[in-house]
Amino acid sequence: MTRVPRKLRQKMIKKVTSFALILLIVSVTALPALGDDDDETNFIVLDQGSTVDYYKSYGEPIIRASVTGDPELTRGETVDLKVKIANTGVIDGFKRLNANQKRINDSTEETVALAEMEEEEEATTAKDIEATLRSETKYIEVESTANLQSVEELETGDTETLSYTIKIDSDTPAGNYELLLPVSYQYQANVKTVTADAINLGITGVEYSRVYETKNETLRIPISVKSGPKFKVTNVTGNLVQGESKLINVTYKNTREEVAKDALARIIVMSPLSTEKSIVRLGDIGPGEEKTASFEISADQEALVKNYGINSEIKYIDEDGETSFSESMKVHIPLKATEKKFSITGIAIILIIVIALYQIINVHRKRNQNDENASNDENASGDENE
């Protein structure tokens, strides 16, 4: 076997490495970057020796976002929020570049240059848009299901509606909030006309080489949470007793910033409890104000002795003149056992039994006494006869 000299072997390795590097560069620069567009033009990136750049456009997509419908939300609700994104990008102008114009015949050069300028107008089209909604406050939660929304293409002047589900906490303070919408998309940054030199790279049927850039930005979506009354039970007095009706006093407090007009308090009781009047009028309840409602509640004789949780709510007129209802509130009431005591009938029966026993004992005693007297008389008579 013939041994290859060391210097020759190193020289061969260098040639193979250089050839592999050239193939890698050609494969990266000559292969399509994004595929075909609507007019079947390949989106590829070629080197400067295979392209001519006649024009540079000034413009790119401008993405705006806003809520579709009423942006004023209510505490405690889950909302299917519709977010509209719009592309308002415009071409501000074109700049003619000093390209090497010898690569295309003078007779067709201007036509080719103008055609490239028309292709530059696609710079305002956003492609492969991805958008995710985020909340910066603990009071507003964005559900993760289908949070990532995508749009294939959005031309300038067009709009698209995205849908997200958000939940407003019942303790959310009234006021203005912002949701964040990070978006990512691609847009055409430059177009170059492909020359005949591209054939040397094996590229045919391609008119333009396009350069795309990725843009990331965060859009802000303003919303607001509607003000309104919020109630809580602050005090409960009174106890329930088996087989009796008792008066229970429930105190409600308006913890929010709006007046609840013409408020009505309502309790919902179920067996073994009952009430004949479940609604009590409270009147207007201002911010921070408390009102007490009194309910007469009856408990069955066989009711289990424990603490009962009764549902309660308040119906009121809000600041818009609409009828509204508070969240359900629990009213906790203890139930006690009936005190053990004798009834009048029981006492009478006992007295009758005592009297009967007394009479029986008295009769029995008198009978014994009579028998003794009779026995004594007989003994006395016998003594006399002797």
Side-chain angles (χ1 to χ4, degrees):
M1 183 174 178
T2 304
R3 183 181 179 87
V4 180
R6 182 179 179 183
K7 290 185 178 180
L8 180 59
R9 187 167 62 250
Q10 290 178 347
K11 188 175 181 181
M12 292 174 62
I13 293 174
K14 288 181 179 180
K15 287 184 178 180
V16 172
T17 303
S18 300
F19 182 69
L21 182 60
I22 292 171
L23 288 178
L24 177 61
I25 294 173
V26 171
S27 65
V28 171
T29 58
L31 290 178
L34 294 175
D36 295 341
D37 62 3
D38 294 338
D39 62 1
E40 300 183 355
T41 300
N42 289 327
F43 291 0
I44 65 174
V45 179
L46 297 172
D47 60 21
Q48 299 238 345
S50 304
T51 61
V52 178
D53 199 359
Y54 287 100
Y55 281 96
K56 174 177 175 55
S57 62
Y58 294 95
E60 62 183 47
I62 299 176
I63 307 299
R64 309 291 187 190
S66 61
V67 174
T68 298
D70 189 359
E72 187 177 49
L73 308 178
T74 304
R75 297 184 184 102
E77 69 174 341
T78 299
V79 183
D80 185 16
L81 193 70
K82 303 296 183 182
V83 177
K84 181 175 70 175
I85 59 172
N87 185 354
T88 61
V90 295
I91 298 294
D92 295 323
F94 298 91
K95 179 182 179 181
R96 183 66 180 261
L97 303 176
N98 295 322
N100 184 356
Q101 301 175 2
K102 299 300 182 181
R103 302 186 183 190
I104 300 179
N105 296 331
D106 293 340
S107 59
T108 60
E109 182 179 18
E110 190 60 29
T111 301
V112 172
L114 291 175
E116 180 188 306
M117 186 174 68
E118 290 182 2
E119 295 297 322
E120 289 278 359
E121 293 179 356
E122 292 187 16
T124 57
T125 298
K127 296 179 179 291
D128 299 327
I129 303 172
E130 292 186 344
T132 304
L133 191 66
R134 290 208 324 256
S135 170
E136 291 187 300
T137 173
K138 65 179 182 179
Y139 296 109
I140 302 176
E141 177 185 355
V142 181
E143 293 190 0
S144 59
T145 305
N147 189 10
L148 177 63
Q149 301 281 310
S150 60
V151 179
E152 183 176 351
E153 183 177 279
L154 192 65
E155 296 181 358
T156 184
D158 289 349
T159 62
E160 190 76 25
T161 299
L162 310 177
S163 181
Y164 301 94
T165 301
I166 65 173
K167 184 177 181 180
I168 312 299
D169 192 273
S170 59
D171 292 326
T172 304
N176 298 321
Y177 295 86
E178 278 188 334
L179 298 176
L180 303 182
L181 188 72
V183 295
S184 174
Y185 57 89
Q186 291 184 322
Y187 69 97
Q188 179 180 277
N190 192 22
V191 177
K192 297 179 181 181
T193 301
V194 176
T195 69
D197 292 339
I199 298 176
N200 298 330
L201 295 174
I203 305 298
T204 60
V206 177
E207 298 181 50
Y208 304 103
S209 171
R210 304 173 190 267
V211 177
Y212 278 82
E213 292 186 1
T214 299
K215 186 172 183 179
N216 298 289
E217 59 181 325
T218 299
L219 308 179
R220 295 184 175 272
I221 303 173
I223 62 171
S224 63
V225 176
K226 185 178 180 181
S227 63
K230 180 178 174 61
F231 298 94
K232 69 176 182 179
V233 174
T234 58
N235 191 34
V236 179
T237 60
N239 296 310
L240 298 176
V241 178
Q242 290 175 324
E244 299 183 24
S245 293
K246 293 292 184 178
L247 201 62
I248 304 299
N249 299 312
V250 182
T251 302
Y252 302 90
K253 182 178 181 179
N254 180 4
T255 63
R256 290 301 187 192
E257 54 284 292
E258 297 294 333
V259 177
K261 298 179 181 178
D262 197 19
L264 300 173
R266 174 174 176 253
I267 59 171
I268 303 171
V269 296
M270 294 181 293
S271 180
L273 308 180
S274 62
T275 182
E276 294 184 358
K277 186 179 180 181
S278 61
I279 298 176
V280 175
R281 183 175 297 278
L282 299 175
D284 296 348
I285 308 178
E289 187 177 0
E290 294 182 334
K291 290 288 184 73
T292 299
S294 297
F295 302 96
E296 188 171 356
I297 302 176
S298 300
D300 292 347
Q301 182 65 49
E302 303 301 324
L304 184 64
V305 176
K306 66 173 187 176
N307 286 333
Y308 285 84
I310 299 174
N311 289 325
S312 177
E313 65 181 6
I314 292 181
K315 176 182 175 182
Y316 62 94
I317 306 299
D318 62 22
E319 60 179 352
D320 297 325
E322 302 291 334
T323 298
S324 298
F325 292 86
S326 70
E327 295 181 347
S328 180
M329 296 167 282
K330 283 290 185 181
V331 178
H332 298 279
I333 308 173
L335 186 143
K336 296 182 177 181
T338 305
E339 295 181 8
K340 301 298 183 181
K341 54 185 180 180
F342 294 109
S343 63
I344 297 177
T345 302
I347 294 175
I349 292 174
I350 291 173
L351 288 174
I352 291 172
I353 293 174
V354 171
I355 293 172
L357 290 174
Y358 174 77
Q359 293 293 339
I360 292 172
I361 293 172
N362 191 40
V363 169
H364 184 69
R365 188 176 59 223
K366 287 183 177 181
R367 181 179 296 173
N368 290 337
Q369 187 176 0
N370 291 334
D371 290 342
E372 278 184 23
N373 292 334
S375 177
N376 292 332
D377 290 341
E378 288 179 0
N379 292 332
S381 176
D383 292 338
E384 289 177 0
N385 292 331
E386 291 179 358

